[in-house]
Amino acid sequence: MNKRAKKRIYLDYTSSTPVDPKVSLSMKKIEKLCIGNPNALHEEGRNAKKVYENARKSLANNLGAKSDEIIFTSGATESNNLAILGLYESLKDEYKKKGKTPHIISSSIEHKSVLEVLKHLESKGVKVTYIDPEKDGTLPYKIIRKSLTSETMLVTIMHANNEIGTINDIEEIAREVRHARRKLGMAIPGTPYFHTDAAQSVTYVPIDMEKVGVDLLTLHSPKIYGPAGIGLLYKRRGVNISPIIFGGGQEEGLRSGRELPILAHGFAESFTIAKKEMNKEVVRLTKLRDYFFKEITKMIPNAKINGALISRLPNNVNVCIPDIDAEFAVIGLDENGVACSSASTCMNTSEESYSYVLERIYGDRSCAASSLRFSLGRYTTKSEIDDCLKILKKVLLLQWNK
Ligand code: PMP
């Protein structure tokens, strides 16, 4: 690492976490066992397959799931697509036969990898109900019960929001879904199903699939200090989905494509470490986050914290600083050694890089265009926060004095 890189303050763990050195080392060690294609019949293939299946077993154990409920994917976008599109593809003919219209309930502040799939399905005639957040970013769960109908195929609500860090009560949502399944005389037996995107929450909120009552769940390795290029979809036994990628029939035909044992191994290792460190990290990061909030509101009295203060990820700091241009601030901070974000990083590829999540919450774009997200992580220290605040002051003064 060069001198300049050493001095940087990385506060964008929500976008991507660095790979834990223990994970890198473990991946390096396993490399020699992963020469072959896990589907090959020779010893090299069998060794690689063993590594791959051990990783699946470890991830399943850590989730309270069974190995055959884990489908490896390339990441959270693919897992979300597979869950929603895969379910639709498997059920669409049944709806058609019965003259019914599939209905999905979601929220307007989901990640784009859910919202864009829903938009695509709407163009095919699927009905979608989007629940809007309250002013503090939480979702009014009561509306879910009111929106459920006998034609509801799926409820897809994320576990924790990637921009404002609010944590949804997925057990309560799962209860509502089960209640509908029993009471509403569903058009298609087994529906509605519940999918949640837990890409951001799994490092900080314990999830036990045996207890939580979720049917489909998305996880992503590069959000939990594992390697990029791999994620998973948990699919409860008995839930049928169709593939959306076709080829050699890997993952029980649900996700064709070369299996990636080294990445799967790293993903599994990172989950084991994250689970072990969870309690300690939640306490440590909550303290750091609240210190950040206290200091930033002391420094800028009209700064407003976006999102709820309770039921919030311990690493999420998202603040609206009136009269600043967030994008310029992010560039200024970067020039001065701080990495943070002004909206979901995925929005940087679109023309409108403001936060649609904050726009939904406040009803206009002013706060969305002047909000900064700092996301803390395993290697964040208090002195980094202090340095970041000093740099932020300098960057903002430059903007205000222009
Ligand atoms: N869901 C959530 C909650 C996310 O935070 C992200 C990444 N920001 C994704 C899905 C998509 O991840 P990727 O594009 O890396 O697959």
Side-chain angles (χ1 to χ4, degrees), residues 305-342:
I305 296 165
N306 297 317
L309 277 177
I310 44 162
S311 277
R312 183 189 189 107
L313 291 176
N315 71 328
N316 178 285
V317 173
N318 193 323
V319 278
C320 172
I321 306 173
D323 305 324
I324 66 151
D325 181 316
E327 252 187 276
F328 275 115
V330 168
I331 295 165
L333 283 160
D334 180 45
E335 280 167 358
N336 286 278
V338 176
C340 70
S341 161
S342 60

Side-chain angles (χ1 to χ4, degrees), residues 345-375:
T345 311
C346 318
M347 293 301 290
N348 290 342
T349 52
S350 75
E351 273 174 25
E352 293 169 329
S353 70
Y354 64 90
S355 160
Y356 63 90
V357 171
L358 296 176
E359 188 187 20
R360 274 283 164 185
I361 289 173
Y362 295 117
D364 66 56
R365 278 188 200 171
S366 59
C367 222
S370 57
S371 288
L372 295 172
R373 181 190 70 187
F374 300 90
S375 46

Side-chain angles (χ1 to χ4, degrees), residues 30-237:
I30 211 95
E31 224 173 57
K32 54 186 174 300
L33 284 176
C34 300
I35 299 163
N37 184 321
N39 271 323
L41 297 177
H42 45 63
E43 186 176 320
E44 285 78 0
R46 286 197 302 279
N47 285 341
K49 186 80 172 175
K50 205 164 162 190
V51 170
Y52 194 59
E53 291 310 321
N54 281 343
R56 193 194 305 277
K57 207 182 287 173
S58 161
L59 285 158
N61 278 343
N62 276 326
L63 274 174
K66 294 151 199 103
S67 288
D68 61 4
E69 294 177 318
I70 304 296
I71 306 162
F72 282 118
T73 65
S74 64
T77 293
E78 191 190 324
S79 296
N80 288 341
N81 272 259
L82 178 59
I84 301 167
L85 274 182
L87 190 68
Y88 168 74
E89 286 298 327
S90 95
L91 293 176
K92 66 178 185 197
D93 291 344
E94 280 191 64
Y95 277 95
K96 202 171 168 193
K97 241 190 281 166
K98 292 193 173 168
K100 303 283 182 188
T101 307
H103 170 233
I104 299 178
I105 299 172
S106 190
S107 84
S108 55
I109 57 169
E110 295 297 302
H111 189 267
K112 282 281 173 185
S113 57
V114 166
L115 291 177
E116 290 299 313
V117 182
L118 297 179
K119 203 157 108 187
H120 168 72
L121 287 181
E122 280 183 288
S123 76
K124 295 189 171 297
V126 173
K127 213 176 136 215
V128 183
T129 303
Y130 296 95
I131 296 173
D132 276 327
E134 308 274 18
K135 282 277 170 276
D136 67 355
T138 57
L139 293 178
Y141 303 134
K142 275 190 292 209
I143 297 182
I144 298 178
R145 180 174 279 211
K146 283 192 195 143
S147 308
L148 282 156
T149 75
S150 62
E151 294 182 341
T152 307
M153 177 182 80
L154 175 70
V155 175
T156 174
I157 303 268
M158 69 205 314
H159 192 191
N161 187 278
N162 50 304
E163 289 197 36
I164 51 171
T166 42
I167 302 168
N168 286 312
D169 187 343
I170 52 173
E171 284 189 39
E172 183 176 339
I173 299 170
R175 264 197 301 277
E176 291 295 341
V177 169
R178 280 200 305 271
H179 176 83
R181 215 177 270 161
R182 285 195 310 268
K183 301 279 177 196
L184 285 186
M186 301 307 295
I188 309 296
T191 59
Y193 296 102
F194 177 32
H195 165 248
T196 192
D197 177 351
Q200 294 295 345
S201 57
V202 72
T203 329
Y204 304 114
V205 189
I207 298 175
D208 182 347
M209 300 315 297
E210 265 181 29
K211 288 193 193 137
V212 82
V214 169
D215 300 299
L216 297 151
L217 175 133
T218 292
L219 288 190
H220 201 8
S221 165
K223 308 286 188 202
I224 63 167
Y225 305 88
I230 192 156
L232 68 81
L233 179 68
Y234 159 88
K235 181 181 76 64
R236 185 178 292 288
R237 273 185 188 169

